[in-house]
């Protein structure tokens, strides 16, 4: 075995799953060396590509690699500590590693070239774990702290002081971030392009003023569920804004929409105004001010009628995705609407109680580019009838269309599914 060239070993090991590789390294000294040689030049690692792997296996792999730049450990629920990380690391995702601790993050502080860090739903992380990383990884450009509810303003202040090149940042669901810390980030992180402050209860009108004054490069902004007054949006002037989420804003009516979308200078492509108190007048303003709109979410806007939808469909000719779940259009309304926006690729009509079988089937017939249809909340009998009609759709989550139907792509039918993600770490 010792006479086998390294290139042959690499070819042999490439056929084995990672779990087997981690086991054979324990059999003899030669195979352990070959394992380390095989992974020493690894540049990227995504745990989803390797199947289930133990926590010990992850840390051994990190120890064996010397050139790793990107690592995705999303969903490693049992991972609580990174014993070592290569200094070459540029991007790492620990999203949904819910047992990760402050001590477990210590090794990341030595990754001075780190540009991207995702800690979504790492609920046990506190300032003690975050601050050393922010102070040492000053080139950080992307940081996601969604659902990190124990991280306080102390970390956000350090972020504004040390990470001047920050490009995207999410503090969604933070109970701590407030107008003062948003102002610090806006003033010091002038390259910021994407920001999520969704459901942050202490973020109010003054934050919008700060963003309008300093964050002229903003392209994506999520403010869902925040507490603003009608006057707050007057000062939000972001001329490059292309994606905006203002869903679930109480008191967010037609007047606010008018001042907001007109400040975006026709750049908006994605707009989420679900669960807002809007009428057809707001839809008319959107149609006039956002001609390049490709994705519109109006879920739960029950005051909207066919007139409002048709106005947008007629003027926003690039519209590709429409979410009208929980709306009150009936079957005839849907049929007429889809006769206008035949270019739709994605349609969500879940929990639209007034829709009939014919209206859903009309969507299938008229939208020749449709690849996704969300039917959640409709009765199983209705869904079954729709996707089993002769020459029509078949009952699979992903399926091809019979040639008799004028679809040229694949359509994904989304129905109620109670299955959740599996743990990928043993």
């Amino acid at each position: 075995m010792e006479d086998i060239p390294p290139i042959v070993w690499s070819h042999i090991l490439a056929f084995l799953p990672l779990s087997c590789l981690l086991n054979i390294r324990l059999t003899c000294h030669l195979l352990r060396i070959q394992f380390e040689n095989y992974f020493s030049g690894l540049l990227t690692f995504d745990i989803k590509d390797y199947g289930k792997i133990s926590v010990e296996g992850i840390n051994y792999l990190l120890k064996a690699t010397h050139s790793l730049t990107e690592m995705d450990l999303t969903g490693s629920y049992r991972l609580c500590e990174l014993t070592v990380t290569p200094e070459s690391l540029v991007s790492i995702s620990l999203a949904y590693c819910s047992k990760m601790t402050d001590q477990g993050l210590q090794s990341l502080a030595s990754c001075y070239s780190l540009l991207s860090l995702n800690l979504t739903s790492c609920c046990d992380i506190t300032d003690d774990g975050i601050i050393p990383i922010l102070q040492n990884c000053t080139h950080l450009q992307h940081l996601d702290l969604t659902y990190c509810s124990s991280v306080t303003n102390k970390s956000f202040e350090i972020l504004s002081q040390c990470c001047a090149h920050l490009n995207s940042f999410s503090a969604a669901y933070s109970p701590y971030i407030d107008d003062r810390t948003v102002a610090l980030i806006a003033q010091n992180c002038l390259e910021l392009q994407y920001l999520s402050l969704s459901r942050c209860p202490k973020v109010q009108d003054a934050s919008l003023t700060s963003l309008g004054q300093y964050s002229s490069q903003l392209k994506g902004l999520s403010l869902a569920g925040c507490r603003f007054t009608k006057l707050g949006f007057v000062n939000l002037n972001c001329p490059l804004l292309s994606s905006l989420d203002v869903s679930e804003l109480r008191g967010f009516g037609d007047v606010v929409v008018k001042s907001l979308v007109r400040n975006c200078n026709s750049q908006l492509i994605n707009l989420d105004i679900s669960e807002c108190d809007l009428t057809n007048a707001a839809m008319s303003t959107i149609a006039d001010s956002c001609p390049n709109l490709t994705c519109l979410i109006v879920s739960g806007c029950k005051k909207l009628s066919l007139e409002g939808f048709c106005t947008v469909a007629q003027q926003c000719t690039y519209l590709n995705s429409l979410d009208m779940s929980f709306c009150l259009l009936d079957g005839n309304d849907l049929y007429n609407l889809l006769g206008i926006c035949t270019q739709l690729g994605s349609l969500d009509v879940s929990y639209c109680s007034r829709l009939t079988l014919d209206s859903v089937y009309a969507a299938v017939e008229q939208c020749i580019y449709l690849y996704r249809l969300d039917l959640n909340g409709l009765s199983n009998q209705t869904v079954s009838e729709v996707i089993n009609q002769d020459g029509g759709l078949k009952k699979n989550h992903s399926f091809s269309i019979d040639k008799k139907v004028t679809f040229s792509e694949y359509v994904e039918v989304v129905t109620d599914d109670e299955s959740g993600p599996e743990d990928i770490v043993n």
Side-chain angles (χ1 to χ4, degrees), residues 127-394:
D127 295 335
D128 293 337
I130 292 293
I131 290 178
I133 298 175
L134 299 179
Q135 290 175 330
N136 291 324
C137 305
T138 56
H139 298 289
L140 198 66
Q141 296 179 4
H142 310 283
L143 178 63
D144 196 332
L145 297 177
T146 302
Y147 289 114
C148 293
S149 55
S150 297
V151 177
T152 73
N153 282 336
K154 185 177 180 180
S155 291
F156 301 139
E157 291 173 10
I158 298 296
L159 175 67
S160 68
Q161 296 168 7
C162 298
C163 302
H165 300 290
L166 194 67
N167 181 274
S168 67
F169 173 57
S170 174
Y173 295 89
S174 169
Y176 295 104
I177 193 167
D178 54 21
D179 293 338
R180 184 180 65 85
T181 44
V182 171
L184 289 175
I185 293 173
Q187 291 171 17
N188 297 322
C189 304
L190 298 179
E191 298 177 18
L192 191 65
Q193 294 185 17
Y194 301 95
L195 176 65
S196 177
L197 299 172
S198 294
R199 295 168 184 84
C200 295
K202 294 184 178 181
V203 173
Q204 299 179 9
D205 289 356
S207 292
L208 299 181
T209 301
S210 298
L211 293 174
Q213 184 175 358
Y214 299 106
S215 300
S216 59
Q217 301 300 310
L218 267 183
K219 294 181 179 179
L221 180 62
S222 179
L223 302 170
C226 292
R227 301 174 181 177
F228 303 115
T229 68
K230 294 180 179 180
L231 298 177
F233 287 94
V234 175
N235 297 320
L236 183 63
N237 186 12
C238 300
L240 300 181
L241 200 65
S242 61
S243 181
L244 177 64
D245 182 355
V246 287
S247 58
E248 300 180 38
L249 296 189
R250 301 295 177 245
F252 189 80
D254 296 349
V255 175
V256 179
V257 170
K258 184 176 181 179
S259 63
L260 181 59
V261 297
R262 288 184 176 175
N263 284 344
C264 296
N265 293 335
S266 304
Q267 298 299 314
L268 273 182
I269 295 176
N270 304 301
L271 178 61
D272 187 345
I273 49 176
S274 55
E275 299 293 337
C276 292
D277 188 25
L278 304 177
T279 69
N280 290 338
M283 296 291 272
S284 179
T285 302
I286 292 171
D288 292 337
S289 304
C290 308
N292 298 314
L293 202 66
T294 62
C295 176
L296 177 62
I297 304 176
V298 290
S299 174
C301 296
K302 298 183 178 181
K303 292 183 179 180
L304 300 180
S305 68
L306 176 62
E307 178 186 354
F309 282 102
C310 287
T311 301
V312 171
Q314 290 168 347
Q315 296 183 232
C316 300
T317 56
Y318 299 105
L319 190 66
N320 177 262
S321 177
L322 177 61
D323 182 345
M324 46 181 287
S325 55
F326 293 94
C327 290
L328 299 179
L329 296 189
D330 60 26
N332 291 330
D333 291 338
L334 182 63
Y335 186 88
N336 292 330
L337 174 61
L338 295 178
I340 299 174
C341 46
T342 57
Q343 77 281 2
L344 278 183
S346 176
L347 176 65
D348 188 341
V349 292
S350 57
Y351 301 97
C352 292
S353 57
R354 296 182 181 179
L355 292 183
T356 65
L357 170 62
D358 290 338
S359 63
V360 177
Y361 196 66
V364 174
E365 290 290 340
Q366 296 185 97
C367 299
I368 62 174
Y369 302 108
L370 193 69
Y371 61 86
R372 185 179 188 276
L373 177 62
D374 195 326
L375 302 173
N376 278 316
L378 300 186
S379 68
N380 290 333
Q381 180 180 2
T382 301
V383 174
S384 177
E385 291 175 359
V386 170
I387 59 184
N388 282 318
Q389 291 202 32
D390 183 36
L393 310 183
K394 301 177 182 179

Side-chain angles (χ1 to χ4, degrees), residues 9 36 45 74 98 105 113 166 185 234 256 317 350 376 402 415:
W9 274 116
E36 293 177 353
F45 177 83
T74 298
S98 54
L105 290 178
S113 300
L166 194 67
I185 293 173
V234 175
V256 179
T317 56
S350 57
N376 278 316
D402 190 280
T415 57

